[in-house]
Amino acid sequence: MVVQQPIEAGKAIGADQVRIIEWPGSAVPPDALTRSADVVGRIARVPMLRGETVLPGKLAPKTATGGLASIIPEGKRAITVHVNEVIAVAGFALPGSYVDVLASGKDADNQPFSRTVLSRVKVLAVAQETTASSDKPKVVSAVTLELTPLESEKLDLARNIGVLSLVLRNELDTGEVNSAGARLSDIVHPQPSSGAARAASPAAAAVPPAHTVAAQPRSRSSRGAEEIRGASRQPVATP
């Protein structure tokens, strides 16, 4: 069974969206489905494009009823946060994108701070849409994120103590953000970098390059011109 028409995640697969094709026996993907009855009517867990092989891992359980709950992986949760145009990265945070979540507020000493509280979080939906239109960003008022139960608790606490912001990241970037965060002093009194410090410090005295200077006689009683080489003087015979 392969996809004949694009299939959206969270929706039931129609009979016109898949078809059976002949496939070399030695190249059949493991667990490939070969009957329409095993595919039609099932909920797609992930988006599928034309020509893709329909595999069991791409389908929700047979008892699934569709919607967002059908595409949440086992052990994960979906939590929605309210956003504005700026927080939602001007509409470029689309379903399938990955973001970092920043929280800004005031600490126990009433000092402003900003810190990354979650790294590489997958966007499941924007507003009520679980599919992305890559040709045009969409400004929305709510974004649904895919989190573990522990991450859900951290996000829920963070949005109650400050303001959340989303930072869009490359989907291939899998690194974790390990930062102590930024404080007001980091902005008002930033520490200069080593390069800046060197630039601000007085320049070391430069050693003059070797050169030869013909000096004029110092007085009428002078024996003649002198040749200066570094710190030494040598008389120069004059014609």
Side-chain angles (χ1 to χ4, degrees):
M1 298 294 300
V2 297
V3 178
Q4 183 169 254
Q5 298 294 334
I7 297 172
E8 295 184 20
K11 294 188 176 181
I13 299 174
D16 61 334
Q17 293 180 296
V18 292
R19 67 189 180 99
I20 296 177
I21 66 170
E22 293 184 357
W23 200 291
S26 60
V28 175
D31 302 325
L33 300 172
T34 58
R35 298 190 310 162
S36 298
D38 294 331
V39 177
V40 176
R42 298 277 297 274
I43 305 300
R45 177 172 283 174
V46 296
M48 288 181 271
L49 302 177
R50 183 175 182 178
E52 279 192 56
T53 307
V54 182
L55 300 174
K58 299 178 181 180
L59 305 177
K62 293 182 178 181
T63 56
T65 58
L68 182 62
S70 300
I71 66 176
I72 302 174
E74 185 176 354
K76 297 281 189 169
R77 305 291 186 268
I79 184 171
T80 301
V81 293
H82 291 287
V83 296
N84 57 33
E85 180 177 352
V86 175
I87 293 175
V89 202
F92 286 100
L94 304 172
S97 301
Y98 286 88
V99 298
D100 295 336
V101 180
L102 272 64
S104 60
K106 292 188 176 181
D107 60 17
D109 297 325
N110 204 34
Q111 296 299 312
F113 77 92
S114 179
R115 187 174 187 274
T116 300
V117 293
L118 296 172
S119 297
R120 202 173 187 273
V121 173
K122 184 178 181 180
V123 177
L124 286 179
V126 292
Q128 284 78 41
E129 297 183 10
T130 57
T131 56
S133 176
S134 57
D135 59 340
K136 185 178 180 181
K138 183 177 182 179
V139 179
V140 297
S141 60
V143 172
T144 301
L145 306 175
E146 178 186 287
L147 305 173
T148 65
L150 178 59
E151 290 172 337
S152 300
E153 294 171 351
K154 291 177 63 176
L155 181 62
D156 188 55
L157 176 61
R159 68 181 177 182
N160 280 284
I161 64 174
V163 178
L164 298 180
S165 297
L166 304 183
V167 182
L168 189 65
R169 68 186 297 165
N170 189 303
E171 61 184 9
L172 300 180
D173 182 359
T174 59
E176 293 289 326
V177 178
N178 186 14
S179 169
R183 302 280 173 167
L184 182 62
S185 59
D186 297 326
I187 300 175
V188 179
H189 303 293
Q191 295 295 324
S193 63
S194 58
R198 286 195 298 270
S201 63
V207 178
H211 60 280
T212 300
V213 178
Q216 296 296 325
R218 288 171 292 177
S219 67
R220 292 179 180 273
S221 61
S222 173
R223 294 181 179 180
E226 292 182 329
E227 184 180 64
I228 301 174
R229 292 181 178 271
S232 64
R233 296 171 180 267
Q234 300 289 338
V236 177
T238 56

